[in-house]
């Protein structure tokens, strides 16, 4: 090997070392932010659970004909909200979400329903842009630190589409695809139907408190009119917080793995460079000895 080969390996070592520093920095940033993200998830749960129980009580204890709780006779179009990330370097986080979204879209198609797509995150937007597939609206810029104003806008957009007649471009169902944060090592993609109302609450046990009995003034339908938009907003915001914590956990894990791989490459390139240097020195010594022997013979 020549001196040029040694320079090549040295350049590779330098570039890989720089990349390792970036990976380590991003891992530290994700680690520092995931604690706050988990706290926000925990803080959002009491309100989400309380409003869920309130809506459940109204919907389950009354014989109510309401557009938000009644199954349509012939559903033909569904809204699908897909929560991906704004940035990459998070392993298979966005890819898993998009794969589950495609499965949902295919299932809806098999049921005779078209899908109107609503996207959160630049990764989902880029995915459908690249494939030249249309979507209704997208939101970007805060996937790893969700803001309630964005969740409120998403909720209002979806409820408006749900309350619009099919002939005017409305939808009969609303589904969301997001990643549920369970632990630092386990985050599961989830597909949930929000509307028509499918209340998701804690599992019923012997110690579970029964729904309270309410008296309504003037009518349960008006209570649902007031509660359900807030319920949808809280569910969407809770899902966004879960997705944010999942994204940071995936990024932390991916950057840790990338840093370890960079360290392995540095060791490999260092070994190859040392072998090249040793081969070059051996070749030079061989040439010097051969030259000395030639002079002696002459």
């Amino acid at each position: 090997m020549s001196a040029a080969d040694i320079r090549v390996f040295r350049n590779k070592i330098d570039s890989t070392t720089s990349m390792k520093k970036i990976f380590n920095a991003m891992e530290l940033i994700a680690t520092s932010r995931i604690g706050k993200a988990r706290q926000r998830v925990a803080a959002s749960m009491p309100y989400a659970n309380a409003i869920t129980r309130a809506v459940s009580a109204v919907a389950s204890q009354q014989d109510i004909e309401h557009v938000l709780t009644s199954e349509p006779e012939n559903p033909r179009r569904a809204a699908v909200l897909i929560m991906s990330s704004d940035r990459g370097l998070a392993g298979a986080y966005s890819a898993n979400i998009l794969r589950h979204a495609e499965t949902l879209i295919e299932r809806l198609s098999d049921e005779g329903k078209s899908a109107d797509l609503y996207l959160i995150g630049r990764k989902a937007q880029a995915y459908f842009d690249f494939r030249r597939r249309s979507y209704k609206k997208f939101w970007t810029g805060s996937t790893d630190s969700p803001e309630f104003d964005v969740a409120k806008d998403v909720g209002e957009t979806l409820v408006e589409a749900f309350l619009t007649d099919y002939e005017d471009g409305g939808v009969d169902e609303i589904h969301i695809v997001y990643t549920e944060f369970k632990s630092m090592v386990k985050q599961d993609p989830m597909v949930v139907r929000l509307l028509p109302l499918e209340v998701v609450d804690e599992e019923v046990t012997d110690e579970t408190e029964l729904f309270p009995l309410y008296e309504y003034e003037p009518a349960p339908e008006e209570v649902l009119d007031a509660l359900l938009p807030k319920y949808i907003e809280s569910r969407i915001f809770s899902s966004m917080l879960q997705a944010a914590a999942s994204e940071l956990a995936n990024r932390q894990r991916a950057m840790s793995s990338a840093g370890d791989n960079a360290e392995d490459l540095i060791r490999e390139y260092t070994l190859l460079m040392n072998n090249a240097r040793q081969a070059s020195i051996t070749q030079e010594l061989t040439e010097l000895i051969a030259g000395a022997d030639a002079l002696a013979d002459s």
Side-chain angles (χ1 to χ4, degrees):
M1 293 188 181
S2 64
D5 296 320
I6 298 175
R7 286 194 298 271
V8 169
F9 289 127
R10 185 178 289 114
N11 290 336
K12 288 184 177 182
I13 291 172
D14 292 341
S15 62
T16 306
T17 301
S18 299
M19 292 175 64
K20 180 186 174 184
K21 292 179 180 178
I22 295 173
F23 297 150
N24 290 341
M26 295 190 69
E27 180 186 359
L28 290 175
I29 292 172
T31 302
S32 66
R33 298 181 65 181
I34 196 169
K36 182 178 179 181
R38 296 177 67 181
Q39 291 175 0
R40 294 184 71 189
V41 171
S44 71
M45 296 309 296
Y47 176 78
N49 289 339
I51 197 168
T52 295
R53 289 181 60 80
V55 174
S56 300
V58 178
S60 62
Q61 296 175 8
Q62 299 290 326
D63 186 13
I64 299 173
E65 287 295 330
H66 194 279
V67 65
L68 299 181
T69 59
S70 301
E71 293 281 350
E73 293 182 1
N74 182 28
R76 291 169 287 179
R77 183 183 295 129
V80 178
L81 176 64
I82 304 172
M83 298 184 184
S84 69
S85 65
D86 281 326
R87 295 183 296 148
L89 300 178
Y93 170 75
S94 291
N96 287 336
I97 280 295
L98 292 169
R99 184 168 62 252
H100 278 73
E102 291 285 19
T103 301
L104 172 61
I105 294 170
E106 183 178 353
R107 175 169 64 82
L108 292 172
S109 177
D110 293 340
E111 295 173 357
K113 306 169 190 174
S114 61
D116 285 352
L117 304 181
Y118 296 83
L119 313 177
I120 295 179
R122 293 190 179 92
K123 288 297 179 180
Q125 181 189 6
Y127 176 86
F128 289 101
D129 281 344
F130 179 78
R131 290 158 178 78
R132 298 183 179 180
R133 293 166 61 182
S134 62
Y135 45 84
K136 291 294 184 180
K137 192 172 181 179
F138 66 91
W139 296 264
T140 61
S142 60
T143 60
D144 58 357
S145 182
E147 300 174 357
F148 182 74
D149 289 343
V150 176
K152 183 177 178 64
D153 184 34
V154 175
E156 290 175 349
T157 300
L158 294 178
V159 171
E160 181 182 358
F162 186 75
L163 296 178
T164 302
D165 292 336
Y166 173 83
E167 291 74 14
D168 297 327
V171 299
D172 302 307
E173 298 176 353
I174 297 177
H175 301 258
I176 60 173
V177 187
Y178 71 102
T179 305
E180 181 181 18
F181 180 87
K182 293 189 173 181
S183 69
M184 287 296 297
V185 296
K186 185 175 178 59
Q187 304 87 40
D188 294 334
M190 302 290 291
V191 177
V192 178
R193 195 185 80 171
L194 284 186
L195 294 177
L197 182 62
E198 285 186 345
V199 176
V200 178
D201 204 351
E202 299 176 348
E203 294 183 359
V204 178
T205 65
D206 293 338
E207 299 179 355
T208 300
E209 182 182 358
L210 297 177
F211 287 142
L213 296 176
Y214 295 112
E215 292 184 1
Y216 305 98
E217 179 67 31
E221 289 80 5
E222 296 190 22
V223 174
L224 282 179
D225 287 341
L227 278 180
L228 279 167
K230 297 183 181 298
Y231 168 78
I232 295 301
E233 291 170 5
S234 70
R235 287 293 301 275
I236 290 175
F237 187 52
S238 177
S239 299
M240 291 172 65
L241 292 175
Q242 295 266 358
S246 300
E247 177 185 344
L248 290 170
N250 276 268
R251 180 166 292 116
Q252 180 194 40
R253 192 161 55 247
M255 292 301 95
S256 176
S257 178
D260 293 341
N261 291 337
E263 183 65 31
D264 292 339
L265 280 175
I266 291 171
R267 284 197 294 267
E268 182 178 349
Y269 288 145
T270 301
L271 178 61
L272 291 172
M273 183 183 69
N274 291 337
N275 290 339
R277 183 184 291 115
Q278 183 177 4
S280 177
I281 293 173
T282 301
Q283 182 178 356
E284 291 177 1
L285 289 174
T286 301
E287 292 174 353
L288 287 173
I289 293 172
D293 289 343
L295 288 175
D297 292 340
S298 63

